[in-house]
Amino acid sequence: MSALPGELPYDAVDPEQALKYAIHHHARERVQIVEGVIEPMTLGWDHEAVAGRVRRQLSDRVHALGCLMGAGDLDLPGSSNWFVPDVAVVPAQLTKGGGALLPGQTLLVVEVTSEASGDTDRVVKPRRYAEYGAPLYLLIDRRDRACTLYAEPGPTGYARTTGPLPFGEPVELPEPFGVRLDTSEL
């Protein structure tokens, strides 16, 4: 098939860029890309409540570190992934300009499982966050009622895993946080 005048042939289009362009123009819906599949971000209030409890417990320390906490876009260049974590802690100076950040620019990424995202949060994201250098990944697994903290990222995964810790057992976030998260109400 030949291109029309002024158009690029299909084989000249970078599929990664095209996919990431598409999600930025997805009408009225937040979406992420997981292993090349566009996933709508439809979260219930119970999901948001868990993320909110984590945010409240981290708020003072995040502020003291000169960071911001939110659910901004994380790009994984060279892959067909574009994640929107439930909570990410990033240095405030990196948030100016409004673009996506890289997992390695975060201090902490938190994912709360839902029915739709559970397997992705448990299997794909720990591998990808480690590969792209997110220093800490906290998985809050609502199905299993447990938390797992991943640390020391590398190209093949995280070298250190704490958990799964059942809800009710605190999760110790290492420095620069030095915070003990209360999981009794998750």
Side-chain angles (χ1 to χ4, degrees), residues 9-118:
Y10 286 121
D11 60 353
V13 175
D14 178 355
E16 176 190 346
Q17 294 303 319
L19 189 58
K20 291 174 181 178
Y21 175 86
I23 68 163
H24 288 298
H25 295 85
H26 204 274
R28 293 180 291 281
E29 213 174 39
R30 264 189 85 97
V31 297
Q32 66 180 355
I33 306 170
V34 177
E35 302 299 301
V37 177
I38 297 175
E39 295 183 353
M41 304 291 295
T42 52
L43 307 173
W45 285 109
D46 55 342
H47 186 107
E48 289 297 319
V50 170
R53 288 182 185 106
V54 170
R55 284 185 193 105
R56 278 191 298 282
Q57 291 184 62
L58 293 176
S59 182
D60 290 342
R61 187 63 186 139
V62 167
H63 179 72
L65 290 168
C67 292
L68 291 176
M69 184 169 31
D73 297 331
L74 295 178
D75 188 9
L76 286 72
S79 78
S80 57
N81 291 287
W82 182 279
F83 295 159
V84 182
D86 293 300
V87 179
V89 177
V90 300
Q93 70 270 19
L94 297 179
T95 64
K96 293 179 172 77
L101 297 177
L102 305 174
Q105 293 176 301
T106 67
L107 276 69
L108 169 69
V109 174
V110 180
E111 294 284 3
V112 178
T113 64
S114 63
E115 288 295 321
S117 72

Side-chain angles (χ1 to χ4, degrees), residues 108-113 121-122 126 136-142 144-151 158 160-167 169-173 181 183 186:
L108 169 69
V109 174
V110 180
E111 294 284 3
V112 178
T113 64
D121 293 342
R122 290 181 201 99
L136 295 171
Y137 172 52
L138 177 62
L139 171 65
I140 301 175
D141 193 328
R142 295 186 312 141
D144 294 343
R145 301 193 45 73
C147 297
T148 305
L149 180 64
Y150 299 88
Y158 283 99
R160 190 168 45 115
T161 303
T162 303
L165 303 170
F167 285 0
E169 262 190 60
V171 174
E172 301 285 342
L173 293 181
L181 286 179
T183 66
L186 299 181

